Amino acid sequence: MVSATTLLGVVLLARHGDRLEFFQDPLTYNPTQTFLTPLGSVQEQQLGTFLRDTYIDPGSPTAIEGISSDVVNITQLIVRADAGGGGSVILTSVQGLLQGLYPPTTDNNITLANGTTIVAPLGGYQAIPIESVEPNLDISLNSFTSCPNFDNHTAQFYASPGFQAEGEMAKPFLEKLQPYLDNRSIDFTNMFNIFDYVNVQSVHNATFLAELPPTFAAQAYAYANFHENGVFTDTSPAGIGNIAIRTILPSIFTSLTRMANASDSLKLAINEISYKPFISLFNITEATAADPSIAGIVDYASAVALELHAPATPADEPTVSMRFKNGTTDAMFHDLTLFGSPSLPLSTFIARLAPDAINTTSEWCTACNQTTLRGCAQNPSS
Ligand SMILES: *[C@@H]1O[C@H](CO)[C@@H](O)[C@H](O)[C@H]1NC(C)=O
Ligand SMILES: *[C@@H]1O[C@H](CO)[C@@H](O)[C@H](O)[C@H]1NC(C)=O
Ligand SMILES: *[C@@H]1O[C@H](CO)[C@@H](O)[C@H](O)[C@H]1NC(C)=O
Ligand SMILES: *[C@@H]1O[C@H](CO)[C@@H](O)[C@H](O)[C@H]1NC(C)=O
Ligand SMILES: *[C@@H]1O[C@H](CO)[C@@H](O)[C@H](O)[C@H]1NC(C)=O
Ligand SMILES: *[C@@H]1O[C@H](CO)[C@@H](O)[C@H](O)[C@H]1NC(C)=O
Ligand SMILES: *[C@@H]1O[C@H](CO)[C@@H](O)[C@H](O)[C@H]1NC(C)=O
Ligand SMILES: *[C@@H]1O[C@H](CO)[C@@H](O)[C@H](O)[C@H]1NC(C)=O
Ligand SMILES: *[C@@H]1O[C@H](CO)[C@@H](O)[C@H](O)[C@H]1NC(C)=O
Ligand SMILES: *[C@@H]1O[C@H](CO)[C@@H](O)[C@H](O)[C@H]1NC(C)=O
Ligand SMILES: *[C@@H]1O[C@H](CO)[C@@H](O)[C@H](O)[C@H]1NC(C)=O
């Protein structure tokens, strides 16, 4: 007898952990290289431990049905990580998450023909395959760079009356902040980089932390939230501003559909990403309409879970619900809404979002008006 709360599987979107400064061109979002810090690895490991306690520990009321608990079964997992966006930060982050999800165990051993039992290295470390999603070979996790129509959207947002008005409001604050910014531009278009500098220095530079007036970091965060929420949303769900999540939707649909299939072993699909797809996801699912406070840059090591629940009766179909944990300081998942509902039948979830999905590189090339880079030169339609 399957209860209404039986979990069949979870698709996770997780943000990387603490890193060094990250500069993104405000017009193209082309990134510079940066590096994960030991704190970032710890944050990811804590997220992994939290996810283990929630979804894998057999004692958890929300454990995924049938998931292997101590020694990982790699047929039950898909792990993908964006290999763009500042180099190795996201790829190295997901390793920390997996260390918490399936920590070393001496149960990870094998007894050989000669009678000797061998435990895997580092006390039974569990090696889990990670797909490095290279932007030039697979657009799905990093679709917002090299996308001329997205750049156009960004430029139009910067030219909009709403952006101009917010920029005017921010100006007196940015002038007060300027002496702390080591000669960085205080043009409001540069607001992400201003926030990032303040945030990174506040975590890593004792002198800076001691000198910065107490409210400045939160003010910079709030203006950066406005800025990024405008760049990574669109008035239409299928608009180019939502490109960051539109290219991830196909893998979400595929994973949830596989989890709904009792003959398929998949139970957990992890996508390690930047903050951008979170913003777009919350916009196209209308989650921000119900919870306006989630619009903006999610904290390091944040996670969204799309949970697939078994149907209440065998005649029904599984349902999807969405939960969000905003970084390490947020102790738990919070329920979000999907198009105003706490959950949706899987087929409805897919039907509502399928029109927004970008399923192939060729479709991405067209949506972006990209004709040369990222595999678009080989695009038969170009
Ligand atoms: C992992 O799960 C698959 C599918 O359920 C099963 O066939 C396989 O034997 C399992 N592997 C291990 C090592 O338990
Ligand atoms: C090997 O793993 C099994 C569980 O699969 C466990 O019972 C046993 O104690 C482990 N052996 C060692 C030497 O850790
Ligand atoms: C059994 O084989 C393993 C792997 O080759 C080796 O490390 C171990 O020393 C051997 N044990 C014995 C008792 O020969
Ligand atoms: C940008 O968008 C505007 C309005 O949709 C359009 O007029 C303009 O041609 C576009 N520019 C480019 C370079 O695509
Ligand atoms: C500050 O930045 C401006 C513009 O990038 C540059 O011309 C100037 O030399 C810089 N000043 C210092 C002190 O680095
Ligand atoms: C630390 O902050 C101080 C004060 O803003 C600044 O002068 C210094 O360059 C910063 N150090 C580093 C390594 O960025
Ligand atoms: C369910 O999964 C099994 C095993 O992977 C596969 O053979 C079958 O085609 C799947 N069913 C559907 C409806 O996709
Ligand atoms: C999505 O974002 C656009 C542009 O920022 C906004 O106009 C729209 O209201 C948002 N949609 C929802 C449902 O919040
Ligand atoms: C996430 O939490 C931080 C505090 O750690 C807060 O400033 C920010 O507004 C929150 N963001 C969202 C999207 O909830
Ligand atoms: C993308 O795939 C979905 C099904 O997953 C489909 O409904 C949608 O029409 C496809 N989009 C395009 C542009 O082909
Ligand atoms: C696509 O970009 C080219 C320049 O590379 C421009 O001439 C053309 O107008 C753009 N098309 C659309 C539909 O925006």
Side-chain angles (χ1 to χ4, degrees), residues 47-71:
L47 173 61
T49 302
F50 170 84
L51 294 169
R52 172 177 181 75
D53 292 346
T54 306
Y55 292 128
I56 295 177
D57 181 346
S60 165
T62 54
I64 297 168
E65 186 182 46
I67 198 159
S68 188
S69 60
D70 290 324
V71 178

Side-chain angles (χ1 to χ4, degrees), residues 199-282:
N199 190 41
V200 170
Q201 295 286 323
S202 297
V203 175
H204 295 283
N205 181 339
T207 313
F208 183 94
L209 182 63
E211 287 174 358
L212 189 75
T215 60
F216 279 25
Q219 281 176 280
Y221 199 163
Y223 284 122
N225 282 341
F226 169 86
H227 188 284
E228 297 309 286
N229 194 57
V231 170
F232 290 98
T233 60
D234 206 304
T235 47
S236 158
I240 197 75
N242 283 317
I243 191 82
I245 194 69
R246 292 175 60 204
T247 50
I248 303 179
L249 290 175
S251 71
I252 294 176
F253 300 160
T254 304
S255 293
L256 290 172
T257 302
R258 286 187 57 191
M259 290 164 187
N261 176 352
S263 312
D264 193 308
S265 58
L266 184 65
K267 299 194 180 296
L268 190 54
I270 299 171
N271 298 283
E272 190 86 10
I273 51 175
S274 67
Y275 65 90
K276 289 103 168 171
F278 288 89
I279 296 177
S280 305
L281 175 68
F282 294 160

Side-chain angles (χ1 to χ4, degrees), residues 164-204:
Q164 298 290 324
E166 189 81 4
E168 279 308 307
M169 210 151 76
K171 206 169 177 183
F173 165 67
L174 291 177
E175 281 164 357
K176 279 186 250 160
L177 183 61
Q178 188 162 30
Y180 303 94
L181 294 178
D182 192 24
N183 202 30
R184 278 161 184 76
S185 162
I186 59 162
D187 191 290
F188 194 50
T189 60
N190 198 40
M191 195 62 230
F192 174 83
N193 296 312
I194 296 169
F195 155 70
D196 196 67
Y197 182 75
V198 169
N199 190 41
V200 170
Q201 295 286 323
S202 297
V203 175
H204 295 283

